[in-house]
């Protein structure tokens, strides 16, 4: 969504959950959901910047067992909105709905944007409509803010390609902020995985004090000195996903190590789910390389993926999964900080 240039805030991009087709609850599915949303967020941030519309920071979509509906977690619970201001104008959705929406985007004038009409899967759907609140997490997302839409707008054939000046110009000409003060999308105006030109925007994502404190306390209480952080994707859901290796040139976040044009190789099953012997071998080498004085494996007692990521970002060395968007989040954060990392079972053509 976004508001016009006549107000201090000019754009919000609604992000939604794009996860593996898994019905399981728990840390693994939460990892993939958050990782995917983070990729979309970076793309939406870049899109808002190029349209010169203020980004309204959407809450993070989570599925908290046994709640049957998605839960919307405020953006600032995990990240600092003020850090994003160094790149572009932002405002939390909670603040926008409370302070600006009543005048800039009042009930009765709320339009939702989608590429083309979306067929409803549940009763009550309309024809030739975005059906923006159809299903989960869509309905619960908008209901969190008591938002109902009065009409739909199909933006086809426009596309959110921020590398194309002509495309950005078409967006601005077609949707003048004076006539369209808010752009509310049914889905993120961004691609997955995060596009190459948006990877660098991760440096503006800074953990909230709430997350930072937990990560620092865990390291202080459980780790003495230098440590290696690792992220492993195991389990039946991931194992099933890895059976699809070979179906295309890329898989999930694989461009982070293989390159966006596969200039550094192609996806393999070993890259997706490395063998135990490969894992042990790499961990031993990493421990030796970092000169870690104590060897022990530690993890949090309770699942908290966001704190896990913050800890991985602080590690002296990191090994992640090339295919995983969760691993990619930690890798981008470490790259922004100039820290060393590697991927399981990956050896680029430059190393051969």
């Amino acid at each position: 969504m976004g508001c016009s240039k006549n107000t201090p805030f000019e754009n919000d991009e609604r992000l939604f959950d794009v996860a593996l087709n898994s019905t399981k609850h728990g840390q693994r599915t939460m990892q993939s959901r958050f990782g995917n949303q983070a990729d979309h967020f970076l793309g939406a941030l870049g899109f808002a910047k190029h349209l010169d519309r203020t980004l309204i920071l959407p809450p993070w979509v989570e599925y908290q067992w046994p709640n049957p509906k998605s839960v919307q977690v405020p953006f600032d619970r995990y990240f600092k909105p003020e850090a994003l201001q160094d790149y572009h104008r932002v405002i939390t959705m909670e603040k926008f709905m409370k302070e600006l929406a009543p005048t800039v985007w009042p009930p009765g004038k709320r339009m939702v944007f989608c590429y083309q009409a979306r067929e409803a899967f549940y009763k009550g759907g309309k024809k030739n409509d975005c059906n923006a609140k159809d299903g989960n997490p869509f309905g619960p997302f908008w209901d969190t803010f008591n938002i109902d839409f009065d009409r739909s707008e199909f933006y086809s054939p426009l596309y959110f390609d921020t590398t194309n000046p002509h495309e950005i110009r078409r967006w601005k000409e077609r949707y003048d902020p004076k006539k369209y003060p808010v752009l509310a999308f049914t889905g993120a105006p961004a691609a997955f995985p995060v596009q190459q030109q948006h990877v660098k925007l991760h440096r503006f994502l800074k953990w909230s004090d709430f997350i930072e404190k937990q990560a620092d306390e865990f390291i202080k209480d459980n780790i003495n000195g230098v440590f290696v952080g690792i992220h492993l994707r195991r389990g039946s859901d991931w194992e099933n996903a890895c059976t699809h290796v070979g179906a295309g040139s890329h898989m999930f976040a694989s461009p982070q190590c293989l390159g966006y044009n596969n200039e550094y190789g192609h996806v393999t099953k070993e890259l997706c789910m490395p063998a135990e012997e490969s894992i042990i071998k790499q961990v031993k080498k990493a421990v030796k390389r970092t000169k870690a004085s104590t060897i022990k494996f530690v993890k949090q007692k309770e699942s908290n993926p966001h704190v896990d990521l913050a800890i991985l970002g602080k590690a002296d060395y990191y090994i992640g999964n090339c295919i995983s968007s969760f691993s990619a989040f930690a890798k981008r954060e470490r790259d922004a900080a100039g820290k060393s990392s590697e991927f399981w079972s990956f050896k680029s053509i430059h190393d051969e």
Side-chain angles (χ1 to χ4, degrees):
M1 291 181 207
C3 27
S4 75
K5 292 188 177 182
N6 295 326
T7 66
F9 305 103
E10 300 161 19
N11 184 36
D12 139 77
E13 317 303 348
R14 147 59 177 118
L15 297 187
F16 70 110
D17 178 43
V18 179
L20 293 175
N21 293 324
S22 172
T23 58
K24 293 184 177 181
H25 62 279
Q27 185 175 12
R28 293 188 181 91
T29 50
M30 184 177 289
Q31 286 180 4
S32 60
R33 287 165 178 156
F34 175 75
N36 294 0
Q37 287 182 80
D39 273 37
H40 273 145
F41 172 75
L42 294 179
L45 179 62
F47 184 68
K49 173 76 170 181
H50 282 78
L51 289 191
D52 194 23
R53 284 177 172 261
T54 297
L55 181 66
I56 300 177
L57 302 171
W60 301 97
V61 176
E62 294 185 0
Y63 296 88
Q64 300 174 0
W65 181 264
N67 194 327
K69 296 182 178 180
S70 64
V71 176
Q72 322 317 315
V73 180
F75 185 92
D76 56 6
R77 179 175 178 81
Y78 299 144
F79 299 100
K80 296 177 178 178
E82 59 270 24
L84 293 167
Q85 297 280 8
D86 290 337
Y87 174 70
H88 190 55
R89 303 179 306 277
V90 299
I91 181 176
T92 63
M93 192 161 182
E94 291 77 11
K95 185 174 183 179
F96 171 78
M97 291 304 298
K98 180 180 179 180
E99 300 179 6
L100 295 176
T103 54
V104 175
W105 199 51
K109 295 185 178 180
R110 292 178 175 174
M111 181 188 304
V112 66
F113 290 70
C114 57
Y115 187 77
Q116 58 189 16
R118 298 170 66 245
E119 181 180 355
F121 291 95
Y122 298 90
K123 292 182 179 180
K126 302 176 183 179
K127 291 184 178 180
N128 198 37
D129 194 271
C130 288
N131 287 302
K133 297 180 67 173
D134 184 63
N136 186 27
F138 306 100
F141 180 93
W142 298 113
D143 284 341
T144 299
F145 302 95
N146 297 313
I147 294 174
D148 288 308
F149 296 104
D150 304 291
R151 57 164 291 197
S152 295
E153 169 69 16
F154 309 136
Y155 61 82
S156 171
L158 300 185
Y159 189 67
F160 29 85
D161 181 5
T162 60
T163 64
N164 187 335
H166 174 67
E167 192 69 11
I168 294 300
R169 185 169 58 253
R170 290 207 301 168
W171 273 98
K172 291 182 177 181
E173 292 175 349
R174 182 166 169 178
Y175 298 116
D176 188 318
K178 293 181 180 179
K179 184 178 180 180
Y180 301 93
V182 176
L183 304 180
F185 294 89
T186 56
F192 176 81
V194 60
Q195 295 302 286
Q196 192 169 14
Q197 66 270 21
H198 297 140
V199 171
K200 63 182 180 181
L201 300 184
H202 195 106
R203 70 180 185 273
F204 299 105
L205 265 181
K206 303 296 183 183
W207 291 110
S208 65
D209 293 339
F210 170 72
I211 296 297
E212 280 281 347
K213 181 180 179 181
Q214 293 181 74
D216 289 339
E217 288 180 348
F218 179 86
I219 293 173
K220 179 181 178 181
D221 296 340
N222 298 276
I223 304 172
N224 295 316
V226 176
F227 73 100
V228 176
I230 67 173
H231 175 230
L232 290 168
R233 283 305 304 265
R234 316 298 281 180
S236 59
D237 62 331
W238 188 254
E239 184 176 5
N240 180 60
C242 291
T243 62
H244 298 289
V245 166
S249 59
H250 280 303
M251 183 176 182
F252 305 147
S254 64
Q256 67 172 322
C257 74
L258 299 178
Y260 282 82
N261 297 306
N262 289 107
E263 56 266 39
Y264 305 126
H266 295 274
V267 177
T268 64
K269 191 170 184 178
E270 172 69 13
L271 192 67
C272 186
M273 195 164 187
E276 289 187 10
E277 53 267 30
S278 299
I279 294 171
I280 295 173
K281 183 178 181 180
Q282 278 188 253
V283 170
K284 286 183 176 180
K285 285 186 175 180
V287 170
K288 183 178 181 179
R289 182 183 297 113
T290 57
K291 299 180 180 180
S293 58
T294 302
I295 299 178
K296 65 177 180 179
F297 286 88
V298 295
K299 65 177 182 179
Q300 296 189 84
K301 294 180 179 180
E302 297 182 1
S303 175
N304 193 327
H306 305 92
V307 176
D308 283 346
L309 282 171
I311 293 171
L312 292 175
K314 295 173 181 291
D316 295 279
Y317 196 79
Y318 168 67
I319 309 176
N321 188 303
C322 171
I323 313 299
S324 167
S325 60
F326 190 83
S327 274
F329 187 100
K331 177 64 162 55
R332 291 193 301 267
E333 180 172 330
R334 296 179 61 80
D335 285 349
K339 293 188 174 183
S340 299
S341 309
E342 67 178 82
F343 297 102
W344 301 113
S345 301
F346 174 67
K347 186 176 180 66
S348 74
I349 56 177
H350 291 282
D351 296 327
E352 295 177 353

